[in-house]
Amino acid sequence: MNKFQSANHILMIEPYEFYSNMETHSSNHYQTQSYGSLSISEITKSAISEFNNLKNKIESNGIKVTTFKGIKGCPDHIFPNWVATFEDKTMHLFPMMAPNRRLEKTPQMINELLKEYKLVEDLSHYEQKGIFLESTSSIVFDRVYRRAFIGFSPRTNKELALSWCKNNNFEMVGFETQGHTGDPIYHTDVFMFVGTNMIGICQDIIKPEYLDYVVKEVNKNHDVMLIEKDQLLDFCGNAIELRNQENEKFLIMSSRAREALNTTQEDFLLSHFRQIIDADLSTIELYGGGSARCMVTELM
């Protein structure tokens, strides 16, 4: 196969400040609401250290990283899932549920991206209608086969997702989920990731009426690694394939996620990737409720 799922150039955003975002608690059950004895400045310092450690590890393996600096009042700026880019050098902006996440789409960042990409669609106006589709977290793209895996949730509107897929020549594989709290899992990239030749997915959280359909679709073009439901609490589903200039493929995940893998899973991944790049993201995971994949936007 000559076409790759992954990018060899990514965007990461270093946060200006980092803390638990009160505006996302209602739908993200993976973040804590308690700071204990730590101050916001201490949490921010720790998060920036973790950010730079992951960034440096990615760069040391020959993958290009462009870094922007976040702004005040946007604690989730470290998770740049408001934009997606594609191989034809186009980009799309997406509607975010939390009001302070909408502010992440700064004119400065957009203008920097416009130096290389053409903006063909800005769906931000749906925010005023209470309709959301949070880009590469709501949609797990299969870029090789032009498919979009989408778990519906308050942050991932079914009708808007279907419309976007039809307008952009992606086949939608849409379904409903039920997480540990009984509610839908807020983002698809919490429980699955797509590589060039493999898919990692937790099937236990897919509602029974969708299960046979999803199993058939994920097995259609890929080897499949099953993720246990409890492993989602360790962010095992929040991983991403990247590649370097020699087209060597790497899987990016947190150290917590890697340590939660069993031997069979790790052997499976190492048979598909040159290396697993992991880093300690414990502060970011605890207070942000997101992990390694959330911190990366592919620059295709």
Side-chain angles (χ1 to χ4, degrees):
M1 177 181 294
N2 294 322
K3 190 172 182 181
F4 291 90
Q5 163 71 15
S6 48
N8 58 19
H9 182 193
I10 62 171
L11 168 67
M12 298 181 70
I13 299 179
E14 179 184 320
Y16 176 88
E17 56 187 356
F18 184 78
Y19 50 88
S20 189
N21 188 353
M22 296 299 293
E23 295 186 11
T24 61
H25 282 159
S26 63
S27 58
N28 183 348
H29 307 291
Y30 296 87
Q31 63 184 122
T32 185
Q33 300 183 39
S34 174
Y35 292 155
S37 60
L38 293 177
S39 67
I40 289 179
S41 63
E42 289 172 322
I43 294 170
T44 299
K45 182 178 179 181
S46 180
I48 291 175
S49 176
E50 292 174 4
F51 170 92
N52 284 317
N53 186 35
L54 177 62
K55 171 180 172 288
N56 292 339
K57 285 189 173 186
I58 292 172
E59 288 181 317
S60 70
N61 283 281
I63 301 161
K64 183 178 179 182
V65 180
T66 291
T67 306
F68 292 163
K69 181 70 176 182
I71 63 171
K72 186 176 178 60
C74 292
D76 284 339
H77 232 154
I78 198 170
F79 306 132
N81 44 32
W82 43 266
V83 62
T85 68
F86 298 91
E87 289 180 332
D88 60 357
K89 295 301 176 183
T90 60
M91 73 176 189
H92 297 240
L93 301 179
F94 288 84
M96 308 298 290
M97 184 176 179
N100 63 7
R101 295 223 60 191
R102 302 169 194 175
L103 303 177
E104 295 172 17
K105 293 174 275 190
T106 71
Q108 295 83 1
M109 292 184 188
I110 292 171
N111 286 336
E112 280 298 311
L113 291 170
L114 286 173
K115 292 177 181 178
E116 185 169 354
Y117 298 93
K118 177 183 178 182
L119 178 59
V120 297
E121 192 168 31
D122 183 353
L123 300 175
S124 299
H125 59 93
Y126 280 99
E127 293 165 349
Q128 307 310 314
K129 303 176 183 178
I131 297 173
F132 314 109
L133 184 64
E134 297 192 337
S135 187
T136 53
S137 284
S138 288
I139 308 170
V140 173
F141 291 105
D142 177 351
R143 296 177 185 268
V144 176
Y145 295 98
R146 301 288 297 185
R147 310 176 86 212
F149 293 91
I150 301 175
F152 308 127
S153 77
R155 300 203 203 179
T156 307
N157 180 269
K158 179 179 180 180
E159 289 72 26
L160 182 56
L162 180 59
S163 173
W164 187 91
C165 288
K166 285 183 175 180
N167 291 339
N168 293 281
N169 194 31
F170 273 84
E171 176 190 355
M172 185 175 85
V173 181
F175 48 92
E176 296 181 10
T177 65
Q178 187 171 30
H180 296 80
T181 63
D183 297 316
I185 294 183
Y186 74 110
H187 277 160
T188 311
D189 69 358
V190 170
F191 60 83
M192 75 174 294
F193 57 91
V194 175
T196 300
N197 304 113
M198 62 78 61
I199 286 177
I201 185 170
C202 178
Q203 297 178 353
D204 298 337
I205 51 78
I206 297 169
K207 285 195 171 182
E209 59 267 34
Y210 291 92
L211 184 57
D212 288 346
Y213 164 63
V214 175
V215 169
K216 176 185 175 183
E217 296 303 318
V218 298
N219 280 277
K220 189 172 286 184
N221 302 305
H222 297 82
D223 298 333
V224 176
M225 184 191 84
L226 296 181
I227 301 168
E228 300 297 326
K229 187 175 182 178
D230 285 347
Q231 289 180 310
L232 298 186
L233 300 174
D234 292 312
F235 300 94
C236 291
N238 197 247
I240 183 171
E241 175 188 299
L242 299 175
R243 59 189 169 89
N244 61 16
Q245 301 302 320
E246 287 73 45
N247 288 330
E248 295 175 312
K249 295 177 294 180
F250 298 83
L251 188 70
I252 317 301
M253 65 187 344
S254 72
S255 297
R256 175 179 174 179
R258 184 170 189 177
E259 290 166 5
L261 297 173
N262 61 45
T263 302
T264 301
Q265 290 170 323
E266 181 151 0
D267 289 345
F268 175 91
L269 292 174
L270 290 173
S271 73
H272 285 83
F273 298 100
R274 170 71 177 82
Q275 182 183 331
I276 299 172
I277 301 173
D278 68 278
D280 175 23
L281 303 175
S282 53
T283 301
I284 294 167
E285 291 173 331
L286 178 63
Y287 296 103
S291 191
R293 195 281 170 263
C294 298
M295 296 169 64
V296 169
T297 288
E298 303 100 309
L299 295 176
M300 302 301 291

